[in-house]
Amino acid sequence: MAFISNGTTILDNGSFQASLGALTHIKTLTASNSSTLSFVDGSSSVVLDSTYPIYKFEFISIHSRNDAVNFQFNMSTDGGSNYNVTKTSTYFYASHTEGGTDGQVSYNDNHHQTQGTGYQTLFEECGSDSDQSGSGCLYLFNPSSTTFVKHFIARCSNYHRANLENDDYSAGYGNTTSAVNGLSFRMNSGNFDGTIKLYGIKD
């Protein structure tokens, strides 16, 4: 079925359905006082291979059990046995307090990496009050490539421990030509609650 105006097709039902199907839900994991959540290809119905050229992770109401900690991720090339892919990355944020002061945009070199293998921070200084949390998304591009490095881009909104809004941006690449087949998420200290959803995106 098509919608036609003045003899011109303006919306074709087939293409509309294809567009809606471009983002495919793969897996939802829920943390409840958990130390980590991990997505590993082939484990518990997780797909993280050449099926999709782009993968999207959504973070929904990530709540830290500890105050002033950072939400982070790392990548694996060996099915989750190790999360230590070498990364070069960048990190900056915009912030604004509840009192309407100290609005700023700032680069944070505490959270960038220069060929580092540690976990990459996605949002920082999480508050642990009952109403505090962070949400956002991470895109991972062509993780199954055995030719190119593995690019990622993330943007998150975080209710900072100091009662301010942090709009956190991070990006970089996993400097490996091995296929990335696992991602792990954690706080740098303590446990957390919340939901992470994984989607595949067709190009």
Side-chain angles (χ1 to χ4, degrees), residues 11-188:
L11 178 60
D12 179 79
N13 189 46
S15 63
F16 184 63
Q17 289 178 337
S19 177
L20 288 178
L23 183 68
T24 301
H25 176 254
I26 297 171
K27 187 74 176 181
T28 297
L29 295 179
T30 300
S32 179
N33 199 15
S34 305
S35 59
T36 60
L37 286 184
S38 298
F39 294 80
V40 178
D41 181 54
S43 175
S44 302
S45 303
V46 171
V47 176
L48 194 61
D49 57 20
S50 60
T51 303
Y52 300 96
I54 306 168
Y55 288 87
K56 180 184 181 183
F57 296 84
E58 292 184 347
F59 319 122
I60 303 167
S61 298
I62 303 298
H63 171 71
S64 173
R65 295 295 184 106
N66 287 7
D67 200 45
V69 294
N70 307 323
F71 184 60
Q72 304 177 317
F73 88 101
N74 212 333
M75 295 176 278
S76 174
T77 61
D78 56 11
S81 295
N82 297 281
Y83 290 96
N84 57 1
V85 168
T86 300
K87 291 170 293 297
T88 293
S89 63
T90 183
Y91 185 100
F92 72 96
Y93 64 90
S95 65
H96 187 220
T97 70
E98 289 182 353
T101 59
D102 297 329
Q104 62 174 312
V105 177
S106 181
Y107 188 85
N108 191 328
D109 56 13
N110 291 322
H111 300 319
H112 70 201
Q113 298 201 48
T114 307
Q115 293 297 89
T117 59
Y119 275 67
Q120 171 65 41
T121 293
L122 295 166
F123 54 87
E124 63 170 6
E125 298 285 318
C126 303
S128 61
D129 293 353
S130 60
D131 64 342
Q132 293 179 314
S133 67
S135 298
C137 61
L138 164 70
Y139 292 91
L140 178 63
F141 299 89
N142 203 14
S144 64
S145 173
T146 54
T147 302
F148 299 112
V149 299
K150 311 305 183 292
H151 291 277
F152 62 86
I153 300 172
R155 183 181 183 184
C156 299
S157 172
N158 175 36
Y159 191 166
H160 191 279
R161 65 177 179 83
N163 296 325
L164 57 85
E165 159 63 16
N166 251 25
D167 186 6
D168 303 87
Y169 296 79
S170 56
Y173 56 87
N175 196 6
T176 178
T177 55
S178 297
V180 166
N181 51 24
L183 266 75
S184 174
F185 299 90
R186 71 173 196 184
M187 294 294 174
N188 69 315

